[in-house]
Amino acid sequence: MRRPILAANWKMYKTVSEALAFVEAFLPRVRDLEEVEVVLAPPFTALEAVGDALGGSVVKLAAQNVCAESEGAYTGEIAPRMLADVGCSYAIVGHSERRQLYGETDEGVARKAEALFAAGLRPIVCVGETLAEREAGRTFEVIERQLAGSLARVPEARAEELVLAYEPVWAIGTGRTATPEIAQEVHAFVRERLVKRFGEAARRIRIQYGGSVKPDNVYALMALQDVDGALVGGASLDPASFARIVRFERPEENR
Ligand code: PEP
């Protein structure tokens, strides 16, 4: 009932020519995929070239950030309609690196999500607890607060277009993946909060897991009831690796 969505977050990696080399190697590996939605989020500088190279393929384009304003004197910022103009369907908002390194707040994330919807784009809203918060037993309180704040301005009628990404901060780029039990527990909690907020429509909202997803652990994560996709950093930079992830096949040794 929920179409899996697997997204590559390239962060600040790849020039235009490196990004195009990825697309050339990646597309033939995923052309036949119909049941899953595949999304690439290159840096801003490569969006247009990657969008053109993807053409009418099944793979969609996302930005890694966006400005909440539609235009104006905001030096260094990129507006939602500029992303739409170069072919983006999605934008990631509230990634933990932006929250931690650039002071992004739940209120700021909410305004960005609202601006994306207004421009016809879909936000991928990230939430997740730090290691200290988990160890202090505060995971659910933190996730609840982030969800309430970050989703405060989502139009009810557009709720199904929203994508949520649960990314425990302690699992991002660390090689330490959440166990399937932890992932399912938090995803089920996120689903329950979404249902409270948006009603039955929330059963159709996709919730991605993110945090050291690799070709060898993606199968177990995708098998979980409330995991509807993955947001992938490091392992999405290599076309063969990300192509294996988007297929999330059971690893050989477990067959
Ligand atoms: C991310 O950047 O969203 C991420 C999950 O990174 P990694 O897969 O490298 O942990």
Side-chain angles (χ1 to χ4, degrees):
M1 136 176 143
R2 294 184 293 266
R3 191 169 178 221
I5 176 165
L6 294 109
N9 173 17
W10 287 352
K11 312 193 184 194
M12 199 171 71
Y13 292 100
K14 294 192 192 295
T15 61
V16 171
S17 60
E18 289 162 353
L20 290 177
F22 177 106
V23 173
E24 199 181 326
F26 182 68
L27 272 189
R29 296 171 194 261
V30 298
R31 241 186 207 120
D32 59 315
L33 280 182
E34 284 170 3
E35 334 66 64
V36 302
E37 193 169 355
V38 180
V39 180
L40 300 181
F44 285 128
T45 46
L47 279 176
E48 185 167 14
V50 169
D52 288 348
L54 293 176
S57 82
V58 292
V59 182
K60 305 227 172 73
L61 192 65
Q64 298 173 21
N65 185 25
V66 68
C67 180
E69 306 300 332
S70 57
E71 64 181 0
Y74 301 100
T75 302
E77 295 293 316
I78 307 282
R81 67 189 199 95
M82 296 171 180
L83 299 180
D85 188 44
V86 293
C88 285
S89 307
Y90 293 93
I92 300 168
V93 290
H95 190 279
S96 66
E97 286 152 17
R98 296 217 54 89
R99 289 179 186 265
Q100 292 194 320
L101 303 172
Y102 300 97
E104 196 136 301
T105 61
D106 291 327
E107 166 61 16
V109 173
R111 294 188 57 240
K112 289 180 179 194
E114 180 182 37
L116 286 167
F117 277 123
L121 296 166
R122 299 171 172 207
I124 298 176
V125 176
C126 303
V127 296
E129 81 286 4
T130 63
L131 185 59
E133 288 163 343
R134 173 158 285 272
E135 287 178 345
R138 296 182 48 225
T139 298
F140 295 113
E141 166 202 329
V142 169
I143 302 290
E144 181 162 16
R145 190 192 64 226
Q146 290 176 337
L147 287 174
S150 303
L151 305 182
R153 295 165 179 259
V154 172
E156 308 283 321
R158 307 281 299 278
E160 287 175 34
E161 295 173 45
L162 179 69
V163 177
L164 243 292
Y166 167 57
E167 298 206 302
V169 179
W170 46 270
I172 296 179
T174 58
R176 194 176 157 189
T177 321
T179 61
E181 292 72 30
I182 289 179
Q184 173 55 30
E185 187 184 33
V186 180
H187 278 238
F189 177 77
V190 171
R191 175 90 53 213
E192 181 215 303
R193 304 318 297 176
L194 292 175
V195 169
K196 260 212 158 120
R197 168 79 167 80
F198 299 113
E200 284 308 299
R203 306 228 177 261
R204 291 184 287 277
I205 297 176
R206 281 134 351 137
I207 309 174
Q208 299 175 310
Y209 167 80
S212 298
V213 173
K214 309 276 181 240
D216 290 339
N217 62 24
V218 67
Y219 175 81
L221 291 160
M222 290 300 294
L224 301 168
Q225 194 188 339
D226 286 295
V227 174
D228 310 311
L231 182 54
V232 188
S236 74
L237 293 169
D238 173 73
S241 160
F242 191 53
R244 283 182 63 204
I245 288 174
V246 302
R247 291 181 176 281
F248 51 93
E249 286 168 358
R250 187 194 288 262
E252 289 291 334
E253 64 269 24
N254 298 336
R255 271 185 211 161

